Structure formats: C-alpha cells, structure tokens
Short mmCIF file of all heavy atoms in Angstrom, two decimals:
data_model
loop_
_atom_site.label_atom_id
_atom_site.label_comp_id
_atom_site.label_asym_id
_atom_site.label_seq_id
_atom_site.Cartn_x
_atom_site.Cartn_y
_atom_site.Cartn_z
N ASN A 440 5.11 12.87 1.45
CA ASN A 440 4.86 14.06 0.65
C ASN A 440 6.00 15.08 0.78
O ASN A 440 6.41 15.68 -0.21
CB ASN A 440 3.53 14.70 1.02
CG ASN A 440 2.36 13.89 0.52
OD1 ASN A 440 2.47 13.11 -0.41
ND2 ASN A 440 1.21 14.06 1.18
N ILE A 441 6.52 15.23 1.98
CA ILE A 441 7.66 16.15 2.17
C ILE A 441 8.87 15.61 1.44
O ILE A 441 9.60 16.34 0.74
CB ILE A 441 7.95 16.34 3.69
CG1 ILE A 441 6.83 17.12 4.34
CG2 ILE A 441 9.30 17.04 3.89
CD1 ILE A 441 6.92 17.19 5.84
N ALA A 442 9.11 14.30 1.56
CA ALA A 442 10.28 13.70 0.88
C ALA A 442 10.16 13.83 -0.64
O ALA A 442 11.12 14.16 -1.31
CB ALA A 442 10.38 12.22 1.26
N LEU A 443 8.96 13.61 -1.17
CA LEU A 443 8.76 13.77 -2.61
C LEU A 443 8.94 15.22 -3.05
O LEU A 443 9.48 15.50 -4.13
CB LEU A 443 7.38 13.24 -3.02
CG LEU A 443 7.21 11.74 -2.91
CD1 LEU A 443 5.73 11.37 -3.16
CD2 LEU A 443 8.11 11.01 -3.86
N GLY A 444 8.51 16.15 -2.21
CA GLY A 444 8.73 17.56 -2.51
C GLY A 444 10.23 17.90 -2.56
O GLY A 444 10.69 18.65 -3.43
N LEU A 445 10.97 17.35 -1.59
CA LEU A 445 12.44 17.54 -1.60
C LEU A 445 13.07 16.94 -2.87
O LEU A 445 13.97 17.50 -3.47
CB LEU A 445 13.06 16.94 -0.35
CG LEU A 445 12.79 17.68 0.95
CD1 LEU A 445 13.25 16.85 2.14
CD2 LEU A 445 13.50 19.03 0.93
N ALA A 446 12.57 15.74 -3.24
CA ALA A 446 13.10 15.09 -4.44
C ALA A 446 12.80 15.90 -5.69
O ALA A 446 13.68 16.03 -6.56
CB ALA A 446 12.50 13.69 -4.57
N ASP A 447 11.62 16.49 -5.76
CA ASP A 447 11.27 17.33 -6.91
C ASP A 447 12.15 18.59 -6.93
O ASP A 447 12.57 19.04 -7.98
CB ASP A 447 9.80 17.73 -6.90
CG ASP A 447 8.88 16.57 -7.24
OD1 ASP A 447 9.36 15.59 -7.83
OD2 ASP A 447 7.70 16.65 -6.92
N MET A 448 12.39 19.12 -5.74
CA MET A 448 13.15 20.36 -5.63
C MET A 448 14.63 20.14 -6.03
O MET A 448 15.22 20.96 -6.72
CB MET A 448 13.07 20.88 -4.20
CG MET A 448 13.72 22.22 -3.99
SD MET A 448 13.77 22.75 -2.26
CE MET A 448 12.10 22.41 -1.71
N HIS A 449 15.22 19.05 -5.56
CA HIS A 449 16.65 18.85 -5.74
C HIS A 449 17.00 17.89 -6.88
O HIS A 449 18.13 17.93 -7.37
CB HIS A 449 17.27 18.35 -4.43
CG HIS A 449 17.12 19.34 -3.31
ND1 HIS A 449 17.85 20.49 -3.26
CD2 HIS A 449 16.29 19.35 -2.23
CE1 HIS A 449 17.48 21.18 -2.16
NE2 HIS A 449 16.56 20.51 -1.56
N GLY A 450 16.10 17.04 -7.28
CA GLY A 450 16.36 16.11 -8.36
C GLY A 450 17.12 14.87 -7.91
O GLY A 450 17.75 14.86 -6.85
N PRO A 451 17.08 13.82 -8.75
CA PRO A 451 17.72 12.55 -8.39
C PRO A 451 19.24 12.61 -8.35
O PRO A 451 19.88 11.73 -7.78
CB PRO A 451 17.23 11.57 -9.44
CG PRO A 451 16.89 12.45 -10.60
CD PRO A 451 16.42 13.74 -10.05
N ASP A 452 19.83 13.63 -8.98
CA ASP A 452 21.29 13.76 -8.95
C ASP A 452 21.78 14.32 -7.61
O ASP A 452 22.97 14.29 -7.34
CB ASP A 452 21.80 14.58 -10.12
CG ASP A 452 21.16 15.95 -10.15
OD1 ASP A 452 20.02 16.12 -9.71
OD2 ASP A 452 21.82 16.89 -10.66
N LYS A 453 20.89 14.85 -6.78
CA LYS A 453 21.29 15.43 -5.48
C LYS A 453 20.69 14.66 -4.30
O LYS A 453 21.26 14.68 -3.21
CB LYS A 453 20.83 16.89 -5.41
CG LYS A 453 21.40 17.79 -6.45
CD LYS A 453 22.77 18.25 -6.07
CE LYS A 453 23.21 19.25 -7.14
NZ LYS A 453 24.53 19.66 -6.97
N LEU A 454 19.51 14.07 -4.48
CA LEU A 454 18.79 13.43 -3.39
C LEU A 454 18.38 12.03 -3.80
O LEU A 454 17.69 11.84 -4.78
CB LEU A 454 17.56 14.25 -3.00
CG LEU A 454 16.71 13.68 -1.87
CD1 LEU A 454 17.46 13.74 -0.54
CD2 LEU A 454 15.40 14.46 -1.75
N VAL A 455 18.80 11.05 -3.01
CA VAL A 455 18.45 9.65 -3.26
C VAL A 455 17.50 9.23 -2.12
O VAL A 455 17.86 9.34 -0.96
CB VAL A 455 19.71 8.74 -3.27
CG1 VAL A 455 19.33 7.30 -3.46
CG2 VAL A 455 20.68 9.21 -4.33
N MET A 456 16.31 8.79 -2.49
CA MET A 456 15.30 8.38 -1.47
C MET A 456 15.19 6.86 -1.44
O MET A 456 15.18 6.21 -2.50
CB MET A 456 13.95 8.94 -1.81
CG MET A 456 13.86 10.42 -1.61
SD MET A 456 12.20 11.14 -1.82
CE MET A 456 11.15 9.82 -2.25
N VAL A 457 15.12 6.31 -0.24
CA VAL A 457 14.96 4.87 -0.04
C VAL A 457 13.81 4.70 0.96
O VAL A 457 13.86 5.22 2.06
CB VAL A 457 16.24 4.20 0.50
CG1 VAL A 457 16.02 2.73 0.76
CG2 VAL A 457 17.39 4.41 -0.45
N GLY A 458 12.79 3.93 0.58
CA GLY A 458 11.68 3.62 1.45
C GLY A 458 11.87 2.26 2.05
O GLY A 458 12.11 1.27 1.34
N ILE A 459 11.78 2.17 3.39
CA ILE A 459 12.02 0.90 4.08
C ILE A 459 10.80 0.63 5.00
O ILE A 459 10.53 1.41 5.91
CB ILE A 459 13.30 0.96 4.94
CG1 ILE A 459 14.49 1.39 4.10
CG2 ILE A 459 13.57 -0.39 5.60
CD1 ILE A 459 15.71 1.75 4.90
N HIS A 460 10.07 -0.43 4.70
CA HIS A 460 8.95 -0.82 5.55
C HIS A 460 9.52 -1.63 6.73
O HIS A 460 10.06 -2.72 6.54
CB HIS A 460 7.96 -1.68 4.79
CG HIS A 460 7.01 -0.88 3.98
ND1 HIS A 460 7.34 -0.32 2.78
CD2 HIS A 460 5.69 -0.56 4.20
CE1 HIS A 460 6.31 0.33 2.28
NE2 HIS A 460 5.29 0.19 3.12
N VAL A 461 9.37 -1.08 7.93
CA VAL A 461 9.91 -1.76 9.11
C VAL A 461 8.92 -1.64 10.26
O VAL A 461 7.93 -0.93 10.18
CB VAL A 461 11.27 -1.13 9.53
CG1 VAL A 461 12.33 -1.38 8.50
CG2 VAL A 461 11.13 0.34 9.81
N LEU A 462 9.25 -2.31 11.33
CA LEU A 462 8.54 -2.31 12.59
C LEU A 462 7.19 -3.02 12.52
O LEU A 462 6.39 -2.81 11.62
CB LEU A 462 8.33 -0.87 13.11
CG LEU A 462 9.60 -0.02 13.25
CD1 LEU A 462 9.24 1.37 13.67
CD2 LEU A 462 10.57 -0.68 14.24
N ASN A 463 6.97 -3.87 13.49
CA ASN A 463 5.73 -4.65 13.56
C ASN A 463 4.50 -3.79 13.64
O ASN A 463 3.49 -4.10 13.03
CB ASN A 463 5.79 -5.64 14.71
CG ASN A 463 6.79 -6.74 14.50
OD1 ASN A 463 7.17 -7.04 13.38
ND2 ASN A 463 7.22 -7.35 15.59
N GLN A 464 4.57 -2.70 14.41
CA GLN A 464 3.37 -1.89 14.58
C GLN A 464 2.99 -1.08 13.35
O GLN A 464 1.89 -0.59 13.26
CB GLN A 464 3.50 -0.97 15.80
CG GLN A 464 4.55 0.08 15.68
CD GLN A 464 5.89 -0.30 16.28
OE1 GLN A 464 6.29 -1.47 16.20
NE2 GLN A 464 6.60 0.64 16.80
N PHE A 465 3.89 -0.98 12.36
CA PHE A 465 3.57 -0.18 11.16
C PHE A 465 3.45 -1.02 9.90
O PHE A 465 2.66 -0.72 9.03
CB PHE A 465 4.63 0.87 10.92
CG PHE A 465 4.67 1.95 11.96
CD1 PHE A 465 5.86 2.44 12.41
CD2 PHE A 465 3.49 2.46 12.50
CE1 PHE A 465 5.90 3.45 13.38
CE2 PHE A 465 3.51 3.46 13.45
CZ PHE A 465 4.72 3.96 13.91
N ALA A 466 4.27 -2.07 9.75
CA ALA A 466 4.38 -2.75 8.47
C ALA A 466 3.94 -4.22 8.48
O ALA A 466 3.86 -4.82 7.42
CB ALA A 466 5.82 -2.65 7.93
N ALA A 467 3.68 -4.77 9.63
CA ALA A 467 3.29 -6.17 9.71
C ALA A 467 1.81 -6.33 9.31
O ALA A 467 1.03 -5.39 9.42
CB ALA A 467 3.50 -6.71 11.12
N PRO A 468 1.42 -7.51 8.86
CA PRO A 468 -0.01 -7.73 8.55
C PRO A 468 -0.86 -7.52 9.83
O PRO A 468 -0.38 -7.73 10.94
CB PRO A 468 -0.05 -9.19 8.13
CG PRO A 468 1.32 -9.51 7.67
CD PRO A 468 2.22 -8.68 8.52
N TYR A 469 -2.07 -7.06 9.64
CA TYR A 469 -2.93 -6.72 10.76
C TYR A 469 -4.37 -7.09 10.43
O TYR A 469 -4.86 -6.75 9.36
CB TYR A 469 -2.82 -5.21 11.02
CG TYR A 469 -3.70 -4.67 12.13
CD1 TYR A 469 -3.44 -5.00 13.44
CD2 TYR A 469 -4.75 -3.83 11.81
CE1 TYR A 469 -4.23 -4.50 14.45
CE2 TYR A 469 -5.55 -3.32 12.82
CZ TYR A 469 -5.28 -3.67 14.14
OH TYR A 469 -6.09 -3.16 15.14
N ASN A 470 -5.01 -7.79 11.34
CA ASN A 470 -6.38 -8.26 11.09
C ASN A 470 -7.43 -7.40 11.76
O ASN A 470 -8.60 -7.73 11.71
CB ASN A 470 -6.55 -9.71 11.56
CG ASN A 470 -5.73 -10.65 10.72
OD1 ASN A 470 -5.59 -10.47 9.51
ND2 ASN A 470 -5.15 -11.66 11.34
N GLY A 471 -7.05 -6.29 12.41
CA GLY A 471 -7.99 -5.49 13.13
C GLY A 471 -8.73 -4.45 12.32
O GLY A 471 -9.60 -3.76 12.83
N GLY A 472 -8.37 -4.31 11.05
CA GLY A 472 -9.02 -3.28 10.20
C GLY A 472 -10.16 -3.88 9.42
O GLY A 472 -10.65 -4.96 9.71
N PRO A 473 -10.59 -3.15 8.43
CA PRO A 473 -11.68 -3.67 7.53
C PRO A 473 -11.23 -4.97 6.87
O PRO A 473 -10.04 -5.19 6.68
CB PRO A 473 -11.83 -2.56 6.51
CG PRO A 473 -11.23 -1.34 7.11
CD PRO A 473 -10.17 -1.81 8.03
N PRO A 474 -12.17 -5.83 6.54
CA PRO A 474 -11.79 -7.12 5.92
C PRO A 474 -10.93 -6.92 4.68
O PRO A 474 -11.22 -6.10 3.85
CB PRO A 474 -13.14 -7.74 5.56
CG PRO A 474 -14.13 -7.08 6.47
CD PRO A 474 -13.61 -5.71 6.73
N GLY A 475 -9.84 -7.69 4.62
CA GLY A 475 -8.94 -7.63 3.48
C GLY A 475 -7.90 -6.52 3.55
O GLY A 475 -7.03 -6.48 2.70
N SER A 476 -7.94 -5.65 4.56
CA SER A 476 -6.96 -4.59 4.61
C SER A 476 -5.75 -5.04 5.43
O SER A 476 -5.85 -5.86 6.35
CB SER A 476 -7.58 -3.33 5.24
OG SER A 476 -7.99 -3.59 6.56
N TYR A 477 -4.62 -4.53 5.11
CA TYR A 477 -3.36 -4.76 5.84
C TYR A 477 -2.94 -6.23 5.86
O TYR A 477 -2.40 -6.69 6.85
CB TYR A 477 -3.42 -4.22 7.27
CG TYR A 477 -3.92 -2.81 7.38
CD1 TYR A 477 -5.02 -2.49 8.15
CD2 TYR A 477 -3.28 -1.79 6.70
CE1 TYR A 477 -5.49 -1.20 8.26
CE2 TYR A 477 -3.74 -0.48 6.79
CZ TYR A 477 -4.83 -0.20 7.58
OH TYR A 477 -5.28 1.10 7.68
N GLN A 478 -3.19 -6.96 4.81
CA GLN A 478 -2.87 -8.38 4.79
C GLN A 478 -1.47 -8.64 4.24
O GLN A 478 -0.91 -9.71 4.49
CB GLN A 478 -3.88 -9.16 3.95
CG GLN A 478 -5.28 -9.10 4.53
CD GLN A 478 -5.35 -9.61 5.96
OE1 GLN A 478 -4.88 -10.69 6.25
NE2 GLN A 478 -5.88 -8.79 6.84
N THR A 479 -0.87 -7.69 3.52
CA THR A 479 0.44 -7.89 2.91
C THR A 479 1.53 -7.56 3.91
O THR A 479 1.48 -6.53 4.58
CB THR A 479 0.58 -6.99 1.68
OG1 THR A 479 -0.50 -7.28 0.80
CG2 THR A 479 1.87 -7.26 0.96
N ASP A 480 2.52 -8.41 4.00
CA ASP A 480 3.66 -8.19 4.89
C ASP A 480 4.80 -7.57 4.03
O ASP A 480 5.43 -8.26 3.24
CB ASP A 480 4.13 -9.49 5.52
CG ASP A 480 5.16 -9.28 6.60
OD1 ASP A 480 5.60 -8.13 6.81
OD2 ASP A 480 5.53 -10.28 7.24
N PHE A 481 5.02 -6.28 4.18
CA PHE A 481 6.03 -5.58 3.42
C PHE A 481 7.40 -5.61 4.07
O PHE A 481 8.39 -5.12 3.53
CB PHE A 481 5.63 -4.13 3.19
CG PHE A 481 4.46 -3.99 2.24
CD1 PHE A 481 3.22 -3.62 2.70
CD2 PHE A 481 4.63 -4.24 0.89
CE1 PHE A 481 2.16 -3.47 1.83
CE2 PHE A 481 3.56 -4.10 0.01
CZ PHE A 481 2.32 -3.73 0.49
N ARG A 482 7.50 -6.15 5.29
CA ARG A 482 8.79 -6.18 6.00
C ARG A 482 9.76 -7.10 5.30
O ARG A 482 9.36 -8.08 4.67
CB ARG A 482 8.59 -6.62 7.44
CG ARG A 482 7.74 -5.68 8.25
CD ARG A 482 7.38 -6.27 9.59
NE ARG A 482 6.60 -7.51 9.35
CZ ARG A 482 6.40 -8.44 10.25
NH1 ARG A 482 6.87 -8.30 11.45
NH2 ARG A 482 5.70 -9.53 9.94
N THR A 483 11.05 -6.81 5.46
CA THR A 483 12.10 -7.69 4.96
C THR A 483 13.10 -7.92 6.08
O THR A 483 13.21 -7.10 7.02
CB THR A 483 12.84 -7.06 3.75
OG1 THR A 483 13.49 -5.87 4.16
CG2 THR A 483 11.90 -6.76 2.61
N ALA A 484 13.85 -9.00 5.99
CA ALA A 484 14.87 -9.28 7.00
C ALA A 484 15.91 -8.17 7.00
O ALA A 484 16.40 -7.76 8.06
CB ALA A 484 15.52 -10.64 6.71
N GLN A 485 16.28 -7.70 5.82
CA GLN A 485 17.29 -6.63 5.72
C GLN A 485 16.78 -5.33 6.37
O GLN A 485 17.52 -4.66 7.08
CB GLN A 485 17.67 -6.37 4.27
CG GLN A 485 18.34 -7.53 3.57
CD GLN A 485 17.34 -8.52 2.98
OE1 GLN A 485 16.14 -8.44 3.18
NE2 GLN A 485 17.86 -9.49 2.28
N GLY A 486 15.53 -5.00 6.13
CA GLY A 486 14.95 -3.80 6.73
C GLY A 486 14.87 -3.90 8.24
O GLY A 486 15.19 -2.92 8.93
N THR A 487 14.53 -5.05 8.76
CA THR A 487 14.47 -5.27 10.21
C THR A 487 15.86 -5.15 10.81
O THR A 487 16.06 -4.49 11.84
CB THR A 487 13.84 -6.62 10.54
OG1 THR A 487 12.53 -6.67 9.97
CG2 THR A 487 13.78 -6.88 12.02
#
C-alpha cells in the first residue's frame, strides 16, 4: 500500500516498482492453513 501510494504520487515516469516473491517462509506453498490456501508456488529461480 505504501509502494502504491508512492507510485500514485510520483507516477511511472519517476518510480518503477518490481514485485519479487522470494523466500521459503513467505512465498513457498504451505499446507498449514485452511484447505486450498497457499498452494501456488510464486517463487522463481531468478528471484531466489
């Protein structure tokens, strides 16, 4: 939300945002939540 606020404030000609899903504890699939949640692996080799 802060990053999007900065992007709105400065515009794409001044601020370039890149989202990178990384780290096993944040972006890896996880079976400990509600059924069907966190099943998608968004990590990439380049991001790692």
